[in-house]
Amino acid sequence: MNSLKEILENKKINEKRLEQEAPDLYNGFMAMASHYYKEGSLSTKYKQLMSVTAAVATKCVPCMVISANNAINAGATREEVIEAAAIGIKFGGASAYTLVRNNLLNCLDEIESIH
């Protein structure tokens, strides 16, 4: 597994590059994400927990790590992140379970160590 630090640094570097080389793509995606993650009928915390579920179901490790970090930053507990991941496993099957087994707990340990 890449560490949280590595994943976040890679995201930062690649987002900056994408912003420079493909500004329409970058700005369009960022506007969409900002719109959908803002507080509304659902809090940002719950939206980030749903992102953990979706990331696990679609088997995207960087998505899961970033969403778990965002959920914790939005006030979610470790237990809530794990429960959100469990729902993702229900939809993603054995390979989603393997993704969580091999990555999520270490990721949460790392997030807790910096908070």
Side-chain angles (χ1 to χ4, degrees):
M1 172 188 131
N2 291 331
S3 72
L4 172 69
K5 182 179 176 183
E6 291 170 327
I7 288 171
L8 292 177
E9 183 62 28
N10 190 44
K11 176 181 181 263
K12 181 179 174 183
I13 290 167
N14 288 319
E15 279 185 341
K16 185 172 186 158
R17 186 170 176 205
L18 194 61
E19 181 179 24
Q20 293 170 350
E21 295 183 35
D24 285 345
L25 188 155
Y26 172 83
N27 291 324
F29 182 82
M30 295 308 287
M32 179 194 65
S34 294
H35 177 77
Y36 288 126
Y37 280 98
K38 70 182 179 196
E39 292 286 327
S41 297
L42 293 172
S43 69
T44 300
K45 169 185 151 178
Y46 287 109
K47 291 176 182 184
Q48 291 296 342
L49 288 168
M50 290 189 310
S51 292
V52 171
T53 300
V56 170
T58 59
K59 302 164 189 82
C60 178
V61 172
C63 301
M64 181 189 68
V65 168
I66 291 165
S67 296
N69 188 55
N70 290 344
I72 296 287
N73 288 336
T77 65
R78 178 186 185 96
E79 293 76 18
E80 288 173 321
V81 172
I82 292 169
E83 283 189 32
I87 299 301
I89 291 169
K90 190 263 182 200
F91 287 95
S95 57
Y97 169 79
T98 302
L99 178 137
V100 169
R101 181 197 64 208
N102 291 349
N103 298 281
L104 183 61
L105 298 179
N106 289 335
C107 167
L108 290 170
D109 291 343
E110 189 174 351
I111 292 168
E112 289 173 348
S113 76
I114 60 176
H115 285 85

